[in-house]
């Protein structure tokens, strides 16, 4: 019992003998980090960021139910126009009941094919075309 008390007293004396830790000694002002920088701002991706375009072709396809065929035929020109602006080609296959999107040589944004995939998924799931086309904006996402 006395041995335990001696060890505890020795441990406490050793802690007092150590120099105090310097918390935050590496936290110094960085010359490149100042008040004028907005850390959470997302810079828009432009054509100048990727002037050479894509190296490989990517494509996605999805099936749609038969009852969506008439509506998709009506809105497909608007979908094609929106995708052509970003350099993505699209195809509506009424025989198979599928929609497909693929990158072209004019595609400069690497993430646009993912947005185009989400667009055809939304159209297949009965989301109205004007609402689904909003997915092509950078600020909009879907689950």
């Amino acid at each position: 019992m006395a041995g335990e008390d001696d060890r505890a007293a020795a441990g406490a004396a050793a802690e007092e003998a150590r120099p105090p830790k310097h918390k935050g000694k590496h936290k110094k002002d960085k010359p490149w980090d100042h008040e004028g920088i907005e850390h959470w701002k997302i810079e828009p991706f432009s054509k100048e960021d990727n002037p050479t375009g894509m190296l490989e072709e990517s494509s996605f396809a999805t099936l749609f139910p038969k009852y969506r065929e008439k509506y998709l035929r009506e809105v497909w020109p608007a979908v094609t126009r929106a995708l052509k602006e970003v350099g993505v080609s699209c195809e509506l296959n009424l025989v198979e009941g599928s929609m497909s999107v693929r990158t072209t040589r004019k595609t400069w944004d690497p993430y646009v094919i993912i947005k185009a995939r989400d667009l055809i998924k939304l159209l297949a799931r009965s989301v109205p075309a004007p609402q689904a086309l909003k997915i092509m904006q950078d600020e909009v996402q879907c689950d």
Side-chain angles (χ1 to χ4, degrees), residues 41-120:
K41 181 179 179 190
I42 298 173
E43 296 292 328
F45 196 81
S46 65
K47 214 171 196 173
E48 291 78 38
D49 294 331
N50 188 8
T52 59
M54 308 292 284
L55 297 176
E56 296 288 330
E57 180 185 280
S58 300
S59 64
F60 291 100
T62 189
L63 300 174
F64 60 88
K66 186 78 170 163
Y67 67 88
R68 292 291 291 166
E69 184 176 316
K70 182 180 177 200
Y71 178 73
L72 287 174
R73 221 178 312 141
E74 292 173 6
V75 299
W76 199 251
V79 172
T80 305
R81 221 177 0 261
L83 291 175
K84 192 175 233 181
E85 289 176 8
V86 292
V88 175
S89 68
C90 58
E91 179 186 341
L92 177 65
N93 189 335
L94 298 174
V95 176
E96 294 179 4
S98 68
M99 294 179 278
S100 62
V101 290
R102 68 177 44 87
T103 57
T104 62
R105 289 185 167 270
K106 295 179 182 177
T107 307
W108 48 269
D109 185 359
Y111 194 69
V112 77
I113 190 65
I114 303 299
K115 291 193 165 285
R117 177 202 63 189
D118 292 343
L119 171 66
I120 62 173

